[in-house]
Amino acid sequence: MDGGTVFTASLQGIQQIKSRDGEILTRPFLDVCKTILPVIDSFVSAMSFAKSDIGGNISRLENKYSSNPSEFNLLYSIVRSEIDSKTVSFASFLGCSRAMDFLVELFRNLLAHPDWRMTQVCSYSYIKTLKKWHNWLASSRFSVASKLAPDRKKFMDVISGKGDVNADVEKFCTNFSPFLDENYKFLLRFNANDLSTFLQASVGVDDMKA
């Protein structure tokens, strides 16, 4: 993070996500998701389970990609290959997209509500994104974790580094959100935006289902 913020690497990676034909590339998309994980580290133990879930989803998608990089060079090729089989990496794609949606909402609220405590930022962002997909147990776990969120000033100091963190947060939200919107639009074409229609035996599904 020398000379920049925790978002610097992600902002650079975003520029590589689309192919010349305007399609989302698997490896660059997952790399950007991975480079944003240090933000969760700043929550210390409060969000350790969230990092584990996101990291696990990314790893499963990476494994699918690595099994045949040429076939799965495009992100949606993974989804297309599993529309019928309803396997774990499909659920991981949806879980990863939803988790990143939560993080983007959290970043937006940090900028929009400078007077809010981190607990408020986390709770509101959760209600706007993940809560509708979670069962009672998952919601309760998040509620407990959000109460352990770090002091806002300390959190901002950690992710700021030596750069303009507010500017980088805004750039990240503006430039990454369209990829998530595209993911959801793609899923809707297959009526596949509800994990309850897919294998509940998949890793993490029980924590995300409605």
Side-chain angles (χ1 to χ4, degrees), residues 2 6 46-47 50 55 70 72 82 89 127 146 174 180 185 193 202:
D2 293 341
V6 75
M47 292 292 172
S70 59
F72 299 123
E82 302 194 344
S89 52
I127 291 170
S146 66
T174 299
L180 298 177
K185 288 178 182 178
N193 199 24
S202 300

Side-chain angles (χ1 to χ4, degrees), residues 163-180:
D164 185 343
V165 68
N166 286 343
D168 280 3
V169 167
E170 185 172 1
K171 288 178 185 176
F172 180 81
C173 293
T174 299
N175 292 310
F176 191 75
S177 292
F179 299 121
L180 298 177

Side-chain angles (χ1 to χ4, degrees), residues 5-8 10-12 14 17 29 32 36 39 99-113 121 125 129 155-156 159 164-182:
T5 71
V6 75
F7 296 92
T8 300
S10 298
L11 291 173
Q12 294 170 347
I14 283 174
I17 287 180
F29 178 83
V32 169
I36 210 65
V39 174
M100 293 302 296
D101 200 19
F102 162 71
L103 290 179
V104 168
E105 184 68 23
L106 184 146
F107 301 148
R108 282 183 176 138
N109 285 311
L110 278 171
L111 294 183
H113 305 284
V121 173
S125 303
T129 56
F155 175 76
M156 296 301 293
I159 67 174
D164 185 343
V165 68
N166 286 343
D168 280 3
V169 167
E170 185 172 1
K171 288 178 185 176
F172 180 81
C173 293
T174 299
N175 292 310
F176 191 75
S177 292
F179 299 121
L180 298 177
D181 292 339
E182 193 170 332

Side-chain angles (χ1 to χ4, degrees), residues 52-102:
S52 176
D53 284 347
I54 298 172
N57 285 328
I58 293 173
S59 294
R60 285 184 283 277
L61 291 169
E62 284 183 321
N63 289 339
K64 184 68 175 182
Y65 166 79
S66 297
S67 70
N68 195 330
S70 59
E71 180 181 355
F72 299 123
N73 182 50
L74 299 178
L75 183 62
Y76 297 158
S77 63
I78 294 178
V79 184
R80 289 191 183 96
S81 75
E82 302 194 344
I83 288 294
D84 294 327
S85 59
K86 305 176 179 64
T87 51
V88 172
S89 52
F90 184 96
S92 295
F93 169 76
L94 184 51
C96 180
S97 296
R98 287 176 176 173
M100 293 302 296
D101 200 19
F102 162 71

Side-chain angles (χ1 to χ4, degrees), residues 25-49:
L25 298 168
T26 303
R27 172 57 66 185
F29 178 83
L30 295 179
D31 284 346
V32 169
C33 293
K34 285 168 62 176
T35 57
I36 210 65
L37 286 183
V39 174
I40 302 179
D41 286 334
S42 303
F43 280 89
V44 195
S45 61
M47 292 292 172
S48 60
F49 74 91

